[in-house]
Amino acid sequence: QKEVEQNSGPLSVPEGAIASLNCTYSDRGSQSFFWYRQYSGKSPELIMSIYSNGDKEDGRFTAQLNKASQYVSLLIRDSQPSDSATYLCAVKAGGGADGLTFGKGTHLIIQP
Amino acid sequence: KAGVTQTPRYLIKTRGQQVTLSCSPISGHRSVSWYQQTPGQGLQFLFEYFSETQRNKGNFPGRFSGRQFSNSRSEMNVSTLELGDSALYLCASSLDRVNYGYTFGSGTRLTVV
């Protein structure tokens, strides 16, 4: 059974600091990795996708992937109160062989 | 560019009834997936359609079904509703099934009473 694990939090980070969110996955066949942000009462919003080992940066966000360790992380630099949300890690098997498997999400709180 | 459109936004149904939810993907997106979100189970994959064919299916009973039309619009049907089917149903679209991320619609909130 494919599993994606995240610490549910809440993770509390001071404004301006770096928020670090982590995710592990069980299926070694996973090829595509995504981070979604979900505000309360809203639908998930794609913020990062990563497909190969290493780092991928987009503005204040950096996604890191280590397939050998089956580990994905998301760093948010210069955290803002508007970053307070639940962050969902999602993985997809290679070749489109399955739907997205989501973790339960990490609740992030940025303290002003 | 219009996003993923789901209708209706809210539904209240009685146990035993059936319901049909609709999803219009982003123009040009051919892959449409459906997910169920509940507080206890989180987001769970229902099924995925591409070029009018179901490509993948999650671990849900046969009461949950779907289809995709030639214009990529998709519908999801739940028959013989149970109280446990109360959830937010989310549709997501993507350019293809492998190399691109998925954009979610606003969802349909289904309440079964």
Side-chain angles (χ1 to χ4, degrees), chain B residues 42-84:
Chain B
L43 269 157
Q44 293 185 287
F45 171 68
L46 281 156
F47 27 66
E48 178 179 26
Y49 287 87
F50 185 85
S51 295
E52 302 178 64
T53 302
Q54 187 180 93
R55 303 292 177 159
N56 295 303
K57 190 177 191 306
N59 188 26
F60 278 83
R63 300 185 296 108
F64 292 82
S65 63
R67 58 178 176 169
Q68 186 181 33
F69 302 96
S70 58
N71 61 359
S72 293
R73 191 177 71 84
S74 178
E75 288 183 346
M76 183 190 119
N77 185 76
V78 188
S79 62
T80 319
L81 284 165
E82 301 177 358
L83 294 179

Side-chain angles (χ1 to χ4, degrees), chain A residues 31-32 34 36 38 41-46 49 51 88 92-104, chain B residues 9 35 37 39-45 48 55-57 88 90 97-107:
Chain A
Q31 293 291 324
S32 305
F34 307 95
Y36 285 85
Q38 187 172 27
K42 301 293 186 182
S43 62
E45 173 192 9
L46 178 65
S49 58
Y51 304 97
L88 300 162
K92 188 170 173 66
D98 207 345
L100 292 173
T101 301
F102 281 87
K104 294 286 181 69
Chain B
R9 290 295 308 276
Y35 292 82
Q37 188 172 32
Q41 298 300 316
L43 269 157
Q44 293 185 287
F45 171 68
E48 178 179 26
R55 303 292 177 159
N56 295 303
K57 190 177 191 306
L88 178 66
L90 291 158
R97 298 170 52 234
V98 179
N99 299 311
Y100 295 91
Y102 290 76
T103 301
F104 281 85
S106 298

Side-chain angles (χ1 to χ4, degrees), chain A residues 27-33 50-52 65 67 91-95:
Chain A
D27 180 17
R28 286 197 172 275
S30 299
Q31 293 291 324
S32 305
F33 306 86
I50 187 166
Y51 304 97
S52 56
L65 173 61
K67 289 185 179 179
V91 305
K92 188 170 173 66

Side-chain angles (χ1 to χ4, degrees), chain B residues 11 27 29 32 38-39 49 53 70 80 82 87 91 93 95 97-98 100 110:
Chain B
L11 266 178
S27 177
H29 284 195
V32 175
T38 59
Y49 287 87
T53 302
S70 58
T80 319
E82 301 177 358
C91 169
S93 75
L95 276 169
R97 298 170 52 234
V98 179
Y100 295 91
L110 172 64

Side-chain angles (χ1 to χ4, degrees), chain A residues 48-51 54-58 61-64:
Chain A
M48 290 291 287
S49 58
I50 187 166
Y51 304 97
D55 295 0
K56 179 182 178 182
E57 186 175 319
D58 184 0
F61 299 97
T62 299
Q64 299 174 316

